């Protein structure tokens, strides 16, 4: 019996081949892959196993922690408020969240949060992973901090706190928390099985993560005052905690969304399909255009890779993500290799999630294999 299930149109048969090779070889433990064209699904594949013991097959409804792919859901939630006229990306954050003006942050704009250029890419120590589960206290701490660099000048990836910052803006404007807003305004209406918070109830469907193996190193050798250290090591993400009910139930809109490729592609195809799905207009072209308003292009202070950010999404970068095509394209990836790419030129959305995490901060060899096959089919090998 094949370890791969689902369907694929003839035009994307090379994608099925690439996916099947990775699953059957064991390079993938379990994974899902989905592609939409003009909002319609043309590839919906899943395969492998949901646990390292290989006792549970990865099913059609298996979920997994998609890590920073969650940020695209958070950004899209904010863009809904922009489209409604309730949020202005060029307005000061403190206009909506007055406490945020403390300690030199009065002039930080909403677009700086959405593009990782705010100077507030993490929490001042001491901070532990469980501390970020509690919305009120963790966002209050961010509001009290000084920025770690001049806002708007360079990016410093808001690795863990992106959803806390954007989510608090949403709550201040709308009254609902990020998880509830996302569920009621996006996931629910679109019939998408993706969850930011409250996911412990689905634990029987959530795949077990297999973290990458990193060589041991002495953290004390790193400059403790660097943006990189303060962002990525304060707190250091504990993968065992990522499998607990407490983690799954917390609304951590930067990293703890639980979903699969089908749900990611369904929601994000709002972007590639011009803001409309199933006969409902969610976003105007003007709002979508904001995504491509480049805010920064350079080496990121937190993850030390060259990145281009628009408003809410990454933009193509040949050096860092060579298999994300150029053009009117926006994307982002999650720790371990999960990925979503919106190609507006061809009205295509590509999504990939998995439970065997690859080393590195962005992408993986497996993700690259699928991206190459998918966009060769879309663009005729261009």
């Amino acid at each position: 019996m094949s370890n791969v299930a689902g369907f694929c149109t003839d035009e994307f048969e090379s994608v099925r081949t690439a996916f099947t090779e990775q699953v059957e070889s064991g390079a993938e433990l379990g994974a899902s892959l989905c592609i939409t064209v003009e909002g319609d699904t043309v590839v919906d594949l899943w395969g492998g196993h949901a646990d390292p013991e290989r006792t549970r097959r990865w099913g059609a409804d298996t979920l997994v922690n998609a890590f920073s792919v969650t940020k695209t859901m958070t950004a899209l939630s904010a863009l809904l408020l922009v489209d409604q006229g309730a949020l202005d990306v060029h307005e000061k954050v403190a206009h909506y969240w007055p406490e945020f003006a403390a300690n030199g942050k009065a002039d930080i704009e909403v677009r700086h949060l959405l593009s990782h250029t705010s100077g507030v890419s993490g929490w001042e120590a001491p901070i532990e992973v469980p501390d970020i589960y509690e919305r009120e206290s963790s966002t209050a701490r961010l509001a009290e901090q000084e920025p770690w660099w001049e806002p708007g000048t360079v990016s410093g990836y808001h690795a863990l706190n992106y959803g806390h910052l954007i989510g608090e803006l949403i709550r201040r404007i709308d009254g609902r928390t990020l998880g509830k807003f996302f569920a009621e305004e996006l996931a629910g209406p679109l019939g998408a099985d993706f969850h930011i918070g409250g996911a412990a109830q689905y634990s029987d469907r959530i795949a077990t993560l297999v973290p990458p193996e990193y060589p041991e190193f002495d953290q004390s050798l790193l400059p403790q005052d660097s943006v990189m250290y303060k962002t990525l090591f304060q707190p250091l993400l504990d993968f065992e905690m990522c499998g607990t009910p407490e983690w799954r139930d917390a609304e951590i809109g930067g990293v703890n969304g639980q979903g699969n490729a089908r749900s990611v592609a369904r929601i994000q195809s709002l972007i590639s399909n011009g803001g409309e799905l199933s006969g409902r207009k969610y976003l105007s072209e003007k709002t979508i255009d904001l995504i491509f308003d480049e805010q920064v292009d350079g080496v990121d202070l937190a993850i030390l890779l060259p990145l281009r950010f628009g408003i809410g999404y990454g933009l193509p970068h040949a050096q860092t993500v060579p298999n994300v095509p150029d053009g009117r394209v926006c994307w982002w990836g999650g720790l371990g290799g999960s990925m979503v790419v919106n190609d507006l030129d061809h009205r295509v959305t590509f999504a990939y999630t998995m439970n065997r995490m690859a080393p590195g901060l962005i992408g993986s060899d497996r993700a690259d294999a699928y991206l190459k096959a998918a966009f060769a089919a879309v663009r005729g090998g261009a």
Side-chain angles (χ1 to χ4, degrees):
M1 186 172 83
S2 173
N3 282 323
V4 173
F7 80 93
C8 176
T9 63
D10 291 345
E11 294 86 348
F12 290 90
E13 189 59 35
S14 60
V15 176
R16 182 199 289 273
T17 298
F19 186 72
T20 301
E21 286 176 354
Q22 297 293 331
V23 172
E24 298 290 355
S25 71
E28 291 284 13
L29 175 57
S32 60
L33 183 64
C34 187
I35 299 171
T36 64
V37 177
E38 297 187 344
D40 295 325
T41 303
V42 295
V43 176
D44 186 9
L45 300 171
W46 59 90
H49 292 83
D51 63 326
E53 296 78 22
R54 300 178 184 269
T55 62
R56 290 189 292 143
R57 284 194 172 274
W58 188 295
D61 65 348
T62 296
L63 307 175
V64 72
N65 198 140
F67 289 101
S68 288
V69 166
T70 312
K71 291 179 173 69
T72 67
M73 307 303 177
T74 298
L76 188 53
S77 297
L79 289 174
L80 282 185
L81 288 179
V82 171
D83 205 71
Q84 295 165 11
L87 178 64
D88 182 348
V89 299
H90 297 287
E91 181 60 87
K92 305 292 193 293
V93 174
H95 174 77
Y96 308 100
W97 180 5
E99 297 90 335
F100 192 80
N103 288 312
K105 301 194 303 302
D107 291 331
I108 294 175
E109 299 177 15
V110 173
R111 64 190 175 97
H112 298 143
L113 299 186
L114 285 163
S115 62
H116 304 268
T117 63
S118 74
V120 187
S121 60
W123 287 270
E124 293 287 356
I127 183 90
E128 301 295 336
V129 170
D131 296 333
I132 74 175
Y133 299 169
E134 210 290 313
R135 178 196 57 78
E136 189 171 351
S137 60
S138 58
T139 55
R141 287 183 62 164
L142 294 170
E144 292 167 2
Q145 292 180 196
E146 295 181 4
W148 292 341
W149 69 90
E150 183 181 349
T153 59
V154 65
S155 72
Y157 186 50
H158 295 18
L160 295 182
N161 71 340
Y162 188 84
H164 293 74
L165 293 167
I166 306 302
E168 186 62 11
L169 270 182
I170 289 171
R171 191 187 72 82
R172 296 289 178 126
I173 293 167
D174 179 82
R176 287 174 285 181
T177 64
L178 169 63
K180 188 172 184 182
F181 181 91
F182 171 77
E184 293 179 354
E185 299 296 329
L186 286 168
L190 292 169
D193 195 9
F194 195 100
H195 312 273
I196 303 175
Q201 62 184 303
Y202 307 113
S203 288
D204 61 333
R205 294 197 287 122
I206 297 176
T208 304
L209 294 170
V210 178
E213 294 185 4
Y214 292 109
E216 291 187 10
F217 69 96
D218 185 352
Q219 292 182 29
S220 67
L221 299 176
L222 298 173
Q224 309 286 292
D225 61 346
S226 68
V227 171
M228 182 271 289
Y229 183 84
K230 292 194 292 184
T231 300
L232 301 183
F233 292 85
Q234 296 181 182
L236 179 64
L237 195 60
D238 184 325
F239 293 116
E240 286 192 12
M241 286 187 177
C242 295
T244 63
E246 293 79 13
W247 171 271
R248 291 170 178 171
D249 271 341
E251 292 186 10
I252 309 174
V255 288
N256 85 329
Q258 310 286 336
N260 51 37
R262 184 190 307 111
S263 59
V264 172
R266 172 66 175 167
I267 296 169
Q268 289 299 315
S269 63
L270 270 180
I271 303 296
S272 63
N273 201 46
E276 183 174 347
L277 275 181
S278 300
R280 177 178 169 184
K281 189 74 171 176
Y282 288 81
L283 297 175
S284 66
E285 288 292 343
K286 181 180 179 181
T287 299
I288 291 173
D289 285 346
L290 289 172
I291 294 170
F292 300 95
D293 184 358
E294 183 180 295
Q295 301 296 299
V296 68
D297 182 358
V299 176
D300 184 90
L301 294 177
I303 60 177
L304 308 182
L305 292 172
L307 293 171
R308 292 174 64 219
F309 283 111
I311 293 178
Y313 290 77
L315 303 179
H317 196 294
Q319 182 176 346
T320 303
V321 281
N323 293 297
V324 171
D326 204 0
R328 193 169 165 80
V329 172
C330 62
W331 72 284
W332 199 244
L335 186 64
S338 58
M339 184 80 70
V340 60
V341 179
N342 290 312
D343 178 352
L344 281 74
D345 292 329
H346 298 84
R347 300 175 78 86
V348 167
T349 292
F350 166 100
Y352 160 63
T353 64
M354 75 298 128
N355 61 346
R356 173 171 285 155
M357 301 172 66
L361 294 171
I362 294 177
S364 70
D365 290 344
R366 284 168 276 151
D368 283 345
Y370 311 145
L371 284 166
K372 286 179 183 177
F375 287 103
V378 168
R379 299 185 171 211

